[in-house]
Amino acid sequence: MEKARALKILTDLMAINSANDHEGVVADYLTSLFKQYSVQIVRVTYSAGRDNLVITIGDHGPLLGFSGHEDVVSAGELSNWQTPPFTPTFKDDKIYGRGASDMKSGLAAMVVAMLDLLESGKDLPGRIRLLASVGEETGEYGAAQLVKEGYASDLDGLVIGEPSNFDVRVTHKGVIDYYVYSQGVCVHSSTPEKGKNAIMPLISFAQAAQQLMSSHQKQDPVLGSLTHVISQIHGGSQINSVPDRAWLSGNIRTTPLYPNQQIYAELERIVADLNEQGAQLNIRYSFPEVPLPDQSGSKLAKLARQVVEQKIGRPSQFTAGTGATDASEYIQAGDFPIIILGPAAGTTDHEPNEFVEIAAYLDGCRLYQELAWEFWNSNI
Ligand SMILES: [Zn+2]
């Protein structure tokens, strides 16, 4: 594909303000690029205006998934931007704007690779499925929906185009965000025996949870240890009342050595024990994500590194991430390898003046196409 057209696809995508919403506009645009070809296009609506999109090219052979999220984080304080966040701007061999790195460049490069394959006129020995998701930045619920509805079950491998600077990210931690709510009875503080203090059981919970989580000392060779932070605590309404409501939140970063299910069971045991002693606690989770176990032994991971080094001519290593991606959902769809590999550097993600280097983006377009060929040929 000509450079100008590949760049236009990226800047068109970046000009769509899909900050935590409006992914349907991205889905419309992507559909318009593919509708002249005989490909399978399925729109999977999450809610009004928010659509996942699944596009499959090829009609037989090994199926490689390309995953990209359609949403971006909000632009934040506009005065911190040197260029308008949703007006992609070329400057010093870079393109600036929200989503330049995370991850409209990865998504666009995957789309360009697919269009190039379609337009090559060659008989494709395998298939590619683009899984464009909503809500990655706010809980990965788009990918969760695609998994639940079976769009990932038949994949033979999956590449997530998040910024990785051409390294192959082969593992990352999981996340458990939780809230514990405490119910008490409000009375005048001069007669506490008539009420029930909502704050005290929360303190007991925080101490017990902290002690238990810090006893988890097993180290993952790459990801290190599980971490736990009590991140917020709120309770009571005035100095001379017994508080009837309180809550706290905690954030746990898990590793494959401590599966999320085990941690849920442990937290819920603490809650049950305190409730037996008279507390009224409730625990709720907010979009928990499982860790991505080490994929470095997979053929896909090795192949990807080879393609980056030999065909694209950039250095590439296996790396680990601390944050979750849509991989946390797709890992639950079946037994296929998943890697995270994207052209952007990721140094300005979620910040003002986000950018991608033009050369990196264009290399990304070539990379995904070369990787598809290598993947098909090695899986036939
Ligand atoms: Zn991202």
Side-chain angles (χ1 to χ4, degrees):
M1 181 181 299
E2 281 173 20
K3 265 189 203 176
R5 186 169 154 226
L7 288 168
K8 183 169 187 308
I9 290 175
L10 172 57
T11 52
D12 283 349
L13 281 170
M14 287 172 60
I16 300 169
N17 181 346
S18 56
N20 305 316
D21 200 349
H22 309 297
E23 293 94 336
V25 185
V26 176
D28 286 343
Y29 177 73
L30 296 177
T31 302
S32 75
L33 296 175
F34 283 91
K35 68 170 183 248
Q36 58 178 305
Y37 302 101
S38 81
V39 298
Q40 205 190 72
I41 303 179
V42 187
R43 210 175 165 100
V44 183
T45 300
Y46 176 77
S47 62
R50 308 194 70 180
D51 304 279
N52 302 283
L53 191 70
V54 181
I55 301 180
T56 310
I57 70 167
D59 51 20
H60 63 282
L63 177 58
L64 179 62
F66 281 170
S67 151
H69 59 81
E70 301 170 313
D71 58 318
V72 293
V73 295
S74 100
E77 181 56 47
L78 291 183
S79 62
N80 292 330
W81 285 81
Q82 283 161 14
T83 61
F86 295 101
T87 306
T89 308
F90 289 78
K91 204 173 78 181
D92 307 330
D93 305 323
K94 300 181 179 82
I95 306 175
Y96 287 84
R98 177 54 86 224
S101 175
D102 183 13
M103 59 161 284
K104 297 241 168 108
S105 54
L107 178 63
M110 288 173 158
V111 164
V112 169
M114 290 170 75
L115 291 170
D116 271 338
L117 288 163
L118 285 169
E119 289 164 13
S120 71
K122 290 180 186 156
D123 186 24
L124 305 181
R127 296 169 291 155
I128 294 178
R129 178 171 300 150
L130 179 72
L131 297 155
S133 60
V134 308
E136 192 277 340
E137 298 288 2
T138 46
E140 282 112 18
Y141 38 83
Q145 183 183 11
L146 292 175
V147 168
K148 200 167 147 220
E149 297 189 17
Y151 292 100
S153 322
D154 53 344
L155 295 178
D156 296 306
L158 178 65
V159 184
I160 297 189
E162 293 274 10
S164 76
N165 199 23
F166 293 96
D167 285 334
V168 180
R169 203 180 312 152
V170 288
T171 181
H172 63 60
K173 285 185 170 181
V175 184
I176 299 175
D177 280 327
Y178 68 85
Y179 293 88
V180 181
Y181 299 92
S182 177
Q183 180 67 52
V185 175
C186 179
V187 294
H188 195 285
S189 61
S190 62
T191 56
E193 69 283 358
K194 292 182 184 161
K196 184 165 153 182
N197 190 322
I199 290 179
M200 301 315 288
L202 272 191
I203 294 174
S204 305
F205 173 89
Q207 284 168 338
Q210 192 60 28
Q211 196 176 13
L212 183 57
M213 293 306 137
S214 56
S215 74
H216 291 331
Q217 291 289 331
K218 277 188 277 176
Q219 300 278 319
D220 180 280
V222 188
L223 297 172
S225 57
L226 169 148
T227 61
H228 173 234
V229 172
I230 299 277
S231 48
Q232 300 176 85
I233 183 159
H234 286 254
S237 50
Q238 63 173 23
I239 197 166
N240 53 357
S241 293
V242 170
D244 62 346
R245 268 161 215 257
W247 62 269
L248 63 74
S249 68
N251 173 275
I252 300 173
R253 303 282 165 156
T254 58
T255 73
L257 294 170
Y258 297 99
N260 285 22
Q261 288 304 338
Q262 176 190 334
I263 303 298
Y264 303 147
E266 290 177 353
L267 295 174
E268 284 157 28
R269 178 82 263 168
I270 298 172
V271 166
D273 285 349
L274 289 167
N275 284 349
E276 265 172 41
Q277 295 161 34
Q280 241 184 295
L281 300 180
N282 254 306
I283 186 162
R284 297 256 182 285
Y285 305 101
S286 173
F287 301 117
E289 298 297 344
V290 302
L292 177 66
D294 188 4
Q295 311 282 307
S296 60
S298 70
K299 195 158 72 174
L300 175 61
K302 292 174 190 160
L303 208 59
R305 228 177 115 179
Q306 253 174 40
V307 171
V308 174
E309 288 178 337
Q310 293 170 12
K311 305 251 174 182
I312 307 302
R314 288 182 179 258
S316 182
Q317 309 174 28
F318 289 151
T319 60
T322 50
T325 67
D326 275 345
S328 297
E329 297 300 332
Y330 292 122
I331 194 79
Q332 302 176 65
D335 187 21
F336 51 84
I338 302 182
I339 56 167
I340 294 143
L341 170 60
T347 49
T348 49
D349 296 356
H350 301 209
E351 294 176 11
N353 308 308
E354 182 178 346
F355 70 83
V356 64
E357 288 182 9
I358 293 169
Y361 165 66
L362 294 172
D363 277 355
C365 300
R366 278 203 299 134
L367 164 66
Y368 292 130
Q369 199 184 152
E370 296 283 358
L371 182 57
W373 281 110
E374 295 294 325
F375 180 82
W376 291 334
N377 288 334
S378 71
N379 278 277
I380 286 169

